[in-house]
Amino acid sequence: MPFQFVYSRKDFVTDVHRSSENGLEMAHPPVEFDTTIQTGWTSRMDKGLFRYHLGDLQTRILPGQHGYVAQLNIQRGKERRKPQEILSIQQEFNAKQFNFNKINPEEIIFEMMKDCEGGNENGQLHEPCRMVVLVNVSPLEFGHCLFVPDPSHCFPQVLTRFAIQAGIESVLLSSDPGFRVGFNSLGAFASVNHLHLHGYYLNHELKIESMPVKLLVPEKGFYRMLDFPGGFLFYTESEQVEKVARDICRVTDFLVNGNVAHNLFFTRGCPPCDRIRKEEDHCSRRGVRIAVWPRISCFGAKEESAFNVALCELAGHLPFKNKKDYDDTTEKAVKDIIQRYLLSDAEFDTLEQQLTRNFMDF
């Protein structure tokens, strides 16, 4: 029986900051959530449960305004499981293909259960409340794990409100501003059609943590990111998680219904500019930024030789598959690759208008 990690709102960590020198400032010692993931992940690495041993990755910050974090991870490119054939963003779950009910049970680190303090809000009890956390046997970085909402339900890789809320809460449960969570839809380099999110630690600041934004719908806290790559942004602190998760799900449901592939990235970040009251807010990481990138769908597309454009690449973290590209790439080359997978300006503007109107009408 896996370890049961039971948490409540009281476990959310609110006093997280970055120093003005871009270092990490841990407000207090590591909390149970971090130590459970990190010790469980390390022990399974020591047992040889992974496809390869992940040591310290060669890392460099690319010169330029975006501060891309490039890492060399050749083994992941060679050893990871071959991605499933994906033909549609709404493709049904197929029990004959690999899924997370077929893993070695030893890969499970723990099960997350929220103590709902007298019941869930907004009828959330109709969705599963159990989140299984297991190691990703082809890791991107230290602590790389997968968050799988009750695997026995066999959900396809389409976000639910529960999955979004659990993703946000996982970031809030960590005292490390380097803990990130992300999601790839089908057609956006998801490799398994069984609902899951990624979580991992990256000990480098990303520009998305403080990227400027434009407020689109004040009542929903719905923003447009003003820097490359273009996308939408939500922000929440511990009190508004349920509401923000519901609003994000409204956006992702709209994208799925419109057959628009998408990636999400959840990270500690400063409040959006319209909510910053004083200089120290720029260093605050008490809340979570959730980026949503609509993008061009890739079905059976040839993979890039340097890196695939998925959740972490759009956020500015670039795991390279080979040393030549890692050594030689420039910020411009990275932007050129990413641009190939983004919607055109006209398509993005139309989508922004549709989503804004959708929120206004709700």
Side-chain angles (χ1 to χ4, degrees), residues 33-95:
F33 178 81
D34 292 316
T35 55
T36 303
I37 286 182
Q38 293 171 11
T39 57
W41 190 90
T42 302
S43 72
R44 284 157 182 79
M45 177 66 74
D46 293 341
K47 288 179 183 176
L49 294 179
F50 291 71
R51 287 177 172 247
Y52 50 86
H53 180 82
L54 187 79
D56 291 335
L57 294 171
Q58 192 174 339
T59 303
R60 72 185 184 101
I61 309 301
L62 300 190
Q65 64 176 6
H66 294 284
Y68 288 124
V69 180
Q71 291 189 314
L72 184 61
N73 192 341
I74 296 172
Q75 287 176 292
R76 178 172 165 83
K78 291 180 177 178
E79 304 292 342
R80 66 182 298 219
R81 182 182 290 108
K82 184 182 177 184
Q84 294 173 2
E85 183 179 19
I86 303 298
L87 303 173
S88 164
I89 292 167
Q90 302 183 55
Q91 190 163 313
E92 293 183 3
F93 177 88
N94 183 348

Side-chain angles (χ1 to χ4, degrees), residues 230-341:
F232 302 110
L233 188 98
F234 291 86
Y235 173 83
T236 184
E237 295 175 8
S238 57
E239 303 82 10
Q240 297 292 318
V241 175
E242 293 89 349
K243 175 187 178 299
V244 172
R246 190 165 61 247
D247 292 336
I248 295 169
C249 196
R250 189 170 176 80
V251 170
T252 55
D253 283 350
F254 187 91
L255 296 176
V256 170
N257 291 334
N259 289 308
V260 179
H262 47 282
N263 305 94
L264 277 74
F265 195 78
F266 306 66
T267 183
R268 292 277 182 174
C270 70
C273 11
D274 68 306
R275 295 179 57 171
I276 289 180
R277 302 288 177 259
K278 44 192 180 297
E279 187 59 34
E280 52 261 41
D281 281 346
H282 287 282
C283 297
S284 169
R285 296 294 183 267
R286 65 178 174 269
V288 181
R289 284 183 165 215
I290 305 96
V292 182
W293 288 286
R295 44 89 55 80
I296 293 172
S297 301
C298 303
F299 299 121
K302 182 177 182 294
E303 295 193 357
E304 297 286 343
S305 65
F307 57 83
N308 294 329
V309 178
L311 67 93
C312 56
E313 291 81 4
L314 288 166
H317 171 213
L318 311 171
F320 279 83
K321 304 176 192 178
N322 68 79
K323 187 156 180 24
K324 185 177 189 311
D325 284 320
Y326 171 80
D327 287 337
D328 296 346
T329 199
T330 62
E331 180 175 275
K332 181 183 183 305
V334 169
K335 290 180 69 174
D336 287 347
I337 292 174
I338 292 174
Q339 186 65 55
R340 295 202 283 267
Y341 295 87

